[in-house]
């Protein structure tokens, strides 16, 4: 390791909080970056599919972003103007409104808050609570809406908070064990029943918050039909629907906003990350009849980062004018199809899923490893008291005892049986319906998903880094390798990313089959000769970036 980088990393470990996340798994020190490529203090070059946790939709230091920032700096404009009107803000809002869903743009209001997405989540809760006079909220299991006090109420496993959880539909680990349209229908019926059941113990909430794609939950795209059903359910009961587009907005999923796929117009949209063009910026866009703000209401100290607004306006315009959302959809579909070959080739790849350039690869225990996994998790057949959910059963019949919290579905304190009664407790002490995942081993139905393998996902991440590829992990067990490349990625770069990832998966599968443990090692060049060589002047991926 280069001496300068080694010293920086050592001082970081001694002086920074133990709460740091990415730095633990990615021991690199970026010193220069352009497009998809990062150069570390050790002189190596990496293809960055973390993209600032999805913030850098145009990649690092895109020329239009740098030009917009320089223009503000050279103009002498104020860099801090609280919530005063400025030409920079006016230009940003004008461009933002051009992109909004048709049913929202004509009657939208925008509120700028603190610079982080979690600030915007808190502001959204405050907005709907003030507008409706109600207090409770509904969120979905597996959700991630931030890390500060108000936002921490929202993840679906919250217990004893003002946020009640609902099941989020997914194909691979369906909370009802059926998947597909049937699983999504059951999830919608559960939500409807909770809202309507007089003895559910849950008053009509102030709002329902959902992510069109759960990124931290494991890259789980919500079915379009379910999104439309949730819109219908909430509208019929005058419950504001809040779409969290912090990670999914600005073309990431193949549409400018992820709600565009389903044609749903939410009452509130939470925006952050990409809208600042790589700089901190967060805002709410909402229906004008929810506007209950009054003069004198406490305001954030940083409601409008002028540099971020300039960079954001340039980014929004560039994505819109160059059809990068459509490009993300086309290229993302192609990458998903190629990655699904990994699932057919290697048993440790359980599922490949995503939407646009938001892609997840879930690592699972290989065939023959179930005994070990069951012993570690305490989920043998004796833990299963319910029956496997059949596609034709009623919702009440679908619910049994789950042996794992991976299904991520909890019922509510004081809940009755309107949505089906849960029969037992999951690992976290919450009540969960059976997914079949808890019945690993004896009695486990054919075709049900294998246990998550976070150690294998971590090994793939390390092997990727050795090959000059930066990826992040997520999912409810941190078992999902996630790709979030910039929308400006070229076909050539996409091929390099897929080759290096395939190499890494192959290496981990081979080592796992031999019973070897993959440990962090010094980065090495990719094995396959057709790969671009990171760190060399002729690296075609760097030239394209």
């Amino acid at each position: 390791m280069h001496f300068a980088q080694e010293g920086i990393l050592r001082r970081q470990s001694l002086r920074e909080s133990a709460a740091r996340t990415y730095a633990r798994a990615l021991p690199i020190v970026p010193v220069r970056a352009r497009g998809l490529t990062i150069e570390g203090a050790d002189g190596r070059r990496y293809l960055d599919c973390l993209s600032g946790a999805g913030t850098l939709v145009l990649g690092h230091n895109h020329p239009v972003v740098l030009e917009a920032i320089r223009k503000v700096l050279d103009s002498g404009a104020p860099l801090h103007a609280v919530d005063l009107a400025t030409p920079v803000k006016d230009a940003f809002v004008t461009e933002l409104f051009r992109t909004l869903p048709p049913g929202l743009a004509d009657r939208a209001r925008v509120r700028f808050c603190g610079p982080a997405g979690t600030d915007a989540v808190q502001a959204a809760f405050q907005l709907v609570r003030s507008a409706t006079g109600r207090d409770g909220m509904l969120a979905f299991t597996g959700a991630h809406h931030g890390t500060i006090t108000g936002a921490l109420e929202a993840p679906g496993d919250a217990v004893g908070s003002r946020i009640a959880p609902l099941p989020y539909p997914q194909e691979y680990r369906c909370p009802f064990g059926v998947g597909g349209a049937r699983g999504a229908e059951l999830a919608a019926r559960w939500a409807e029943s909770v809202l309507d059941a007089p003895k559910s113990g849950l008053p009509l909430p102030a709002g329902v918050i959902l992510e069109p794609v759960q990124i931290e939950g494991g890259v789980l795209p919500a079915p379009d039909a379910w999104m439309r059903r949730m819109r219908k359910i909430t509208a019929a009961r005058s419950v504001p629907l809040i779409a969290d587009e912090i990670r999914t907005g600005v073309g990431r999923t193949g549409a400018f906003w992820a709600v565009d796929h389903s044609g749903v117009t939410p009452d509130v949209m939470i925006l952050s990350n990409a809208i600042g063009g790589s700089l901190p910026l967060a805002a709410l866009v909402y229906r004008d009849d929810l506007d209950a703000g009054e003069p004198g209401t406490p305001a954030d100290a940083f409601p409008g980062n002028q540099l971020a607004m300039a960079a954001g306006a340039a980014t929004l315009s560039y994505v819109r004018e160059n059809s990068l959302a459509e490009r993300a959809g086309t290229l993302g579909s192609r990458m998903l199809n190629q990655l699904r070959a990994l699932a057919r080739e290697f048993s440790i790849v359980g599922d490949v899923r995503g939407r646009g350039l938001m892609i997840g690869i879930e690592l699972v225990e290989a065939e023959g490893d179930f005994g070990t996994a069951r012993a570690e998790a305490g989920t043998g057949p004796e833990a299963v008291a319910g029956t496997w959910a059949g596609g034709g059963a009623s919702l009440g019949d679908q619910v049994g005892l789950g042996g794992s919290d991976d299904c991520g579905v909890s019922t509510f304190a004081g809940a009755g049986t309107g949505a089906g009664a849960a029969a037992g407790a999951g690992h976290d002490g919450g009540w969960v319906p059976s997914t079949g995942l808890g019945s690993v081993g004896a009695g486990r139905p054919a075709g049900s998903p294998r246990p998550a393998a976070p150690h294998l996902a971590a090994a793939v991440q390390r092997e990727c880094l050795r090959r000059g590829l930066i990826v992040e992990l997520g999912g409810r067990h941190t078992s999902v390798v996630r790709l979030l490349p910039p929308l400006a990625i070229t076909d050539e770069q996409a091929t390099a990313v897929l080759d290096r990832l395939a190499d890494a998966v192959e290496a981990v599968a081979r080592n796992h089959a031999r019973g070897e443990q993959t440990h962090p090692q010094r980065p090495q060049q990719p094995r396959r000769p057709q790969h671009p060589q990171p760190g060399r002047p002729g690296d075609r991926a760097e030239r394209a970036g």
Side-chain angles (χ1 to χ4, degrees):
M1 181 181 293
H2 192 278
F3 177 79
Q5 175 162 304
E6 185 178 42
I8 291 171
L9 291 175
R10 184 180 67 254
R11 288 189 292 274
Q12 181 188 41
S13 66
L14 291 173
R15 299 189 297 204
E16 290 190 26
S17 166
R20 65 190 187 279
T21 54
Y22 300 112
R24 291 180 177 275
L26 302 170
I28 60 176
V29 178
V31 293
R32 279 176 291 275
R34 182 65 175 256
L36 181 69
T37 305
I38 283 179
E39 182 178 337
D42 59 354
R44 297 192 69 239
R45 293 183 177 91
Y46 301 85
L47 302 182
D48 180 16
C49 283
L50 171 60
S51 298
T55 298
L56 305 170
V57 293
L58 298 183
H60 293 276
N61 294 323
H62 194 280
V64 303
V65 172
L66 298 182
E67 181 182 359
I69 292 172
R70 289 192 189 102
K71 185 176 179 180
V72 175
L73 292 174
D74 293 342
S75 72
L79 300 183
H80 192 298
V82 287
D83 63 353
L84 299 178
T86 69
V88 172
K89 179 194 285 189
D90 183 65
F92 174 82
V93 173
T94 298
E95 183 58 44
L96 175 64
F97 275 42
R98 287 194 183 110
T99 71
L100 295 178
L104 185 58
D106 293 340
R107 53 178 306 189
R109 293 289 184 271
V110 61
R111 174 186 170 182
F112 294 98
C113 46
T118 49
D119 299 312
V121 172
Q122 278 196 320
F125 290 178
Q126 179 189 44
L127 174 76
V128 296
R129 283 168 172 159
S130 177
T132 64
R134 301 190 290 264
D135 190 56
M137 298 287 299
L138 290 180
F140 291 86
T141 51
H144 176 80
H145 298 292
T147 55
I148 57 178
T149 305
L152 279 173
E153 293 180 333
D157 59 357
V159 177
S161 74
R162 293 182 290 170
I163 310 297
L166 294 172
Y168 190 89
Q170 54 173 301
E171 179 69 25
Y172 188 61
R173 298 189 187 278
C174 173
F176 305 103
V178 293
R182 178 61 173 162
E185 169 65 15
L186 291 174
R189 286 176 58 189
W190 184 301
E192 193 170 26
S193 180
V194 166
L195 286 168
D196 290 344
K199 295 183 179 180
S200 69
L202 182 73
L204 195 66
V208 173
I209 183 171
L210 59 77
E211 296 164 284
V213 181
Q214 280 194 352
I215 179 65
E216 295 297 335
V219 192
L220 304 173
D224 292 339
W226 177 82
M227 288 285 294
R228 290 189 287 270
R229 180 75 181 275
M230 289 306 302
R231 172 68 285 188
K232 183 177 179 181
I233 289 170
T234 53
R237 292 156 182 81
S238 298
V239 175
L241 180 64
I242 304 169
D244 183 341
E245 291 262 12
I246 291 172
R247 301 289 293 272
T248 55
V250 195
R252 169 63 61 187
T253 67
F256 207 98
W257 305 106
V259 294
D260 293 338
H261 291 289
S262 60
V264 163
T265 300
D267 301 298
V268 182
M269 290 175 62
I270 302 175
L271 313 178
S272 187
N273 285 22
I275 67 166
S278 76
L279 299 177
L281 186 64
L284 300 182
V285 177
Y286 53 91
R287 246 186 26 245
D288 53 8
D289 60 320
L290 294 174
D291 201 358
E294 298 177 0
T297 300
D300 296 297
F302 295 96
N305 182 334
Q306 297 292 290
L307 290 181
M309 287 181 173
T315 298
L316 295 172
S317 175
Y318 190 88
V319 170
R320 178 177 58 82
E321 292 175 358
N322 291 276
S323 302
L324 290 191
E326 292 80 358
R327 160 75 175 163
T330 301
L331 181 57
S333 294
R334 190 185 314 156
M335 293 177 72
L336 279 170
N337 288 335
Q338 293 181 51
L339 286 170
R340 284 179 179 131
L342 295 178
R344 295 189 292 269
E345 185 175 358
F346 303 110
S347 65
I348 63 170
V349 178
D351 192 35
V352 176
R353 54 185 179 258
R355 198 157 206 176
L357 290 176
M358 180 176 275
I359 296 171
I361 303 97
E362 182 166 349
L363 279 296
V364 296
E365 296 292 348
E367 293 289 352
D369 293 338
F370 296 139
T372 301
R374 182 169 67 249
E376 293 175 350
T379 54
E382 67 279 359
V384 181
T387 58
W388 180 252
S394 68
L395 180 57
D397 293 333
Q398 296 289 342
V399 184
L401 173 63
S404 169
D405 62 358
D406 198 80
C407 63
V409 180
S410 301
T411 60
F412 316 110
T417 57
H427 291 165
D428 59 0
W431 296 88
V432 297
S434 174
T435 64
L437 182 62
S439 52
V440 175
R444 179 175 164 275
S448 62
R450 297 194 296 277
H455 62 290
L456 295 180
V460 169
Q461 184 184 45
R462 290 193 297 268
E463 291 293 331
C464 283
L465 192 63
R466 294 178 65 208
R467 288 159 174 79
L469 175 63
I470 298 173
V471 297
E472 68 169 334
L473 303 182
R476 298 174 193 182
H477 294 282
T478 323
S479 59
V480 178
V481 175
R482 298 184 294 185
L483 297 178
L484 297 169
L487 308 192
I489 185 174
T490 66
D491 289 347
E492 185 180 40
Q493 290 172 330
T495 297
V497 167
L498 296 180
D499 283 349
R500 296 181 194 191
L501 178 59
D503 252 9
V505 171
E506 181 180 356
V508 171
R510 183 174 61 248
N511 292 340
H512 186 63
R514 294 172 179 169
E516 298 177 3
Q517 186 75 306
T518 304
H519 296 288
Q521 300 179 40
R522 181 182 179 278
Q524 66 177 23
Q525 303 296 340
R527 177 180 56 80
R528 298 181 182 178
Q530 69 267 31
H531 292 168
Q533 299 296 306
R536 299 195 177 189
D539 188 343
R540 59 188 171 97
E542 183 200 2
R543 292 200 310 271

